[in-house]
Amino acid sequence: MDVLSDTLRVVRLTGAVFLNMRMTSPWAAASEPPDLLAAYFRLPSDCLALFHILVEGRGCIAMSGYAPVMLEPGDAILLPHSSPHTMSSDLHVRVTPVPMRAVLPSQAPEGIIEAQGGGPGAPSQFICGYLHCDQRFNPLLGALPPLIVVRVGSARPTGVDATGVARDSAGPILIVAPEDWLGMTLRHMTEESLDGRPGRADMLARLSEILFAEMVRRYMNNLSPADHGWLAGVRDPIVGQALRLIHEQPEQPWTVAELADAASVARSTLAQRFSTLIGETPMRYLATWRIQIAKRLLCETDARLAVIAERVGYESEAAFNRAFRRHVGYPPATWRAANEPPPPRAHGVS
């Protein structure tokens, strides 16, 4: 079982590019809270990761707790938690940041929004997008730092090791060469965003999902032994084995002792190591993961509740109802009705 792929499948992380922003210096724009962005784009939850790619000129990203990041054309920044941040033309810009809503239409249109503004100076151009998770439980996003920077270039800045990763006051920085496929994907996204060909929005959505998955893989591969979190747990030989079993057979009535036997360690060793890296007990993780699978099945299938209960490891529909209500606050039938996808819109009908 590939735990990372399984998690991406169950939490249904979907990408979209929504803004082609061309500003002239001096300019500064402040991000919107994720709940307002979710409402603006009519998304079912505010679990959002934002990304910005600099196409032209120069740009600065600043957020609390981190050193400002100056970007060059081709560079990108990922904000997995949609943390409040400011985009500007320069590190020392002397203009008051306008809220991002000031450059957006009052209602989200179909396709990519074209926005412009600023002063009389040099232009900067960003393409901005988001990745949306329709489920609150997302161990993957929770395990990522508030920001990850991708720099495209052959030169390695001071402080960046041979793996191409720096850890400093600007957060993790992934260094990729222009000919590296991650660098080429960024370039392809830029070209696609500026091209008006049919299917542009869908192409950009798929590319942003691929970009995110590859950034996560590279970040995970360069975690240090001292790092904690879900990604560190996936890499850990002991906790990773327990996670693989949980994801591969969530319907099994696992105990901590059985998971420990499979990992060839003592029960206490697994329990302590799992809680240290993941932040919760194996049984709590199993219970929460079962509910996430159940949510996907409730949304994507018309299976009866008894069938879903059995598929996610509950001995009866009544036990499943109790567990679902305990985790979500509503019984599964109520949740399914509230999250039923809207019918497809008819073409040619006003």
Side-chain angles (χ1 to χ4, degrees), residues 266-284:
R267 180 189 181 281
S268 59
T269 299
L270 174 64
Q272 187 274 331
R273 192 164 183 82
F274 198 102
S275 296
T276 297
L277 289 180
I278 304 299
E280 59 184 346
T281 66
M283 294 299 97
R284 174 66 181 175

Side-chain angles (χ1 to χ4, degrees), residues 65-246:
Y66 289 83
V69 180
M70 289 300 301
L71 301 177
E72 300 290 340
D75 292 348
I77 188 164
L78 173 69
L79 299 110
H81 312 148
S82 298
S83 303
H85 60 283
T86 301
M87 305 168 65
S88 63
S89 53
D90 190 77
L91 180 62
H92 304 293
V93 65
R94 294 180 179 272
V95 297
T96 302
V98 299
M100 187 62 72
R101 71 176 75 94
V103 303
L104 300 176
S106 58
Q107 292 186 337
E110 295 289 338
I112 299 174
I113 301 167
E114 306 286 340
Q116 57 186 4
S124 297
Q125 187 169 4
F126 282 90
I127 59 172
C128 307
Y130 62 78
L131 293 117
H132 170 250
C133 173
D134 65 356
Q135 299 192 27
R136 268 294 182 184
F137 173 77
N138 192 335
L140 175 54
L141 289 182
L144 294 172
L147 69 92
I148 299 176
V149 182
V150 179
R151 294 201 184 279
V152 178
S154 55
R156 182 176 295 142
T158 302
V160 176
D161 62 25
T163 65
V165 176
R167 293 164 183 262
D168 58 19
S169 58
I173 301 174
L174 308 180
I175 309 298
V176 299
E179 64 275 10
D180 180 283
W181 86 262
L182 182 53
M184 294 174 65
T185 301
L186 282 168
R187 187 167 67 249
H188 188 40
M189 285 187 70
T190 298
E191 294 170 353
E192 191 70 37
S193 71
L194 303 178
D195 196 321
R197 288 182 298 171
R200 175 177 67 158
D202 190 63
M203 282 288 293
L204 286 169
R206 303 291 83 78
L207 286 169
S208 62
E209 293 161 18
I210 292 170
L211 178 71
F212 174 80
E214 180 60 16
M215 289 174 68
V216 169
R217 288 200 304 185
R218 296 195 187 200
Y219 174 76
M220 181 174 68
N221 288 340
N222 289 283
L223 289 172
S224 75
D227 283 314
H228 290 176
W230 185 81
L231 288 171
V234 172
R235 284 206 345 167
D236 184 81
I238 295 172
V239 175
Q241 174 66 3
L243 287 172
R244 280 188 289 274
L245 290 171
I246 288 172

